[in-house]
Every structure is written in C-alpha cells, then in structure tokens.
C-alpha cells in the first residue's frame, strides 16, 4: 500500500504539469504555429446546400467531399422524417437553432469518433437552403 502511494503522487504531479502546460499553451510550438487563419473566399452558388465549419478532428479522418455528402444526406433525412418545424424555439423568442443542421453536425462528430480521430472535434453545419416540409404530406 505504501509503495502504491509513493508511485501515485509523482504520476499525478506529472499529469497536472502536462495539463497546465496545455492550458497555458505550448510555447515551444510558437515558431511553427501561425496566428493568421487560412482563408479562402468562394462565391456562393444556387446549388450550395450547407456550410461546414469544423476543426482538424473532423478533417483528419474525413474528406471534404464525404463530409458534404453526409451533411447533405442528414439534413434531407431530418426534413423527411420530422413533422415539426426546422428550428428550435427555446424560451418562446426567435428561433435559435436549425435542428436539421444540428443533426448533421452531430452525425459528423459521431463518425469522426468512430473513425478514430485523436484531435479535438468541433463541427458546425449551416443549412443554406430554405427547406420546409410540404403541408399535408407525411
């Protein structure tokens, strides 16, 4: 029991030190990490379905084409299967979130995890089409 306690504390100290280093930022990487984002301006087209903003955790395990196909399919499936509105109306005010786009983002995160992504995974999907379920059809 005493030996376990002696081994435990240095390990905890080392993990805390590494965590503090991550929280403070890896200063030794500064020469290799640029603070300027990579920006590409692309004109919108009528057939644009959605915009995906995501961190490396998604793009490390999935191509742009695959992510777009999956997001488009999830949005269309959401509209096909849901009878209620596309937007969440939390608090009775203005709509706050497109639930179809949220379903697509959630799906992309789950797929990135299933593909073994080892990086942070953040995904935002913006539905660029105004889609409304036709009334009277189920």
């Amino acid at each position: 029991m005493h030996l376990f306690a002696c081994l435990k504390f240095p390990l905890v100290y080392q993990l805390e030190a590494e965590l503090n280093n991550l929280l403070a930022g890896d200063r030794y990487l500064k020469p290799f990490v640029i603070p300027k984002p990579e920006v590409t301006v692309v004109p919108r087209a009528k057939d644009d379905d959605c915009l995906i903003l995501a961190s490396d955790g998604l793009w490390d395990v999935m191509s742009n084409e695959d992510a777009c196909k999956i997001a488009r399919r999830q949005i269309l499936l959401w509209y096909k299967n849901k009878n209620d509105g596309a937007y969440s109306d939390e608090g009775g005010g203005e709509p706050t979130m497109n639930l179809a786009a949220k379903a697509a983002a959630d799906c992309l995160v789950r797929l990135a995890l299933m593909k073994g992504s080892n990086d942070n995974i953040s995904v935002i999907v913006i539905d660029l089409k105004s889609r409304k379920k036709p009334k009277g059809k189920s």
Side-chain angles (χ1 to χ4, degrees):
M1 184 84 159
H2 182 56
L3 179 61
F4 175 72
C6 290
L7 292 175
K8 178 181 172 189
F9 291 114
L11 180 61
V12 169
Y13 175 76
Q14 181 181 358
L15 290 175
E16 285 179 3
E18 288 181 26
L19 180 60
N20 288 334
N21 187 34
L22 286 174
L23 294 175
D26 294 322
R27 289 180 186 88
Y28 63 90
L29 291 176
K30 191 172 184 173
F32 306 105
V33 178
I34 58 169
K36 294 173 76 175
E38 183 179 318
V39 177
T40 304
V41 178
V42 179
R44 288 265 322 264
K46 284 188 175 193
D47 61 342
D48 289 344
D49 281 326
C50 61
L51 173 67
I52 302 172
L53 304 171
S55 62
D56 286 346
L58 178 70
W59 305 123
D60 287 345
V61 296
M62 195 174 301
S63 70
N64 295 349
E65 293 79 13
D66 288 344
C68 290
K69 285 178 192 173
I70 292 164
R72 183 180 308 119
R73 185 177 18 195
Q74 287 299 312
I75 289 170
L76 292 174
L77 276 172
W78 191 93
Y79 280 102
K80 180 180 177 185
N81 295 329
K82 300 294 180 184
N83 291 322
D84 52 357
Y87 290 91
S88 153
D89 187 359
E90 298 170 6
E94 288 291 315
T96 57
M97 183 185 320
N98 181 305
L99 297 176
K102 181 183 182 315
D106 290 344
C107 179
L108 290 170
V109 169
R110 283 192 310 274
L111 285 172
L113 288 168
M114 286 173 38
K115 288 176 175 268
S117 179
N118 292 320
D119 207 339
N120 295 332
I121 305 169
S122 298
V123 179
I124 299 170
V125 175
I126 301 168
D127 187 0
L128 298 173
K129 300 266 186 183
S130 175
R131 304 172 212 264
K132 294 185 180 175
K133 188 171 177 100
K135 292 184 179 181
K137 291 189 179 181
S138 301

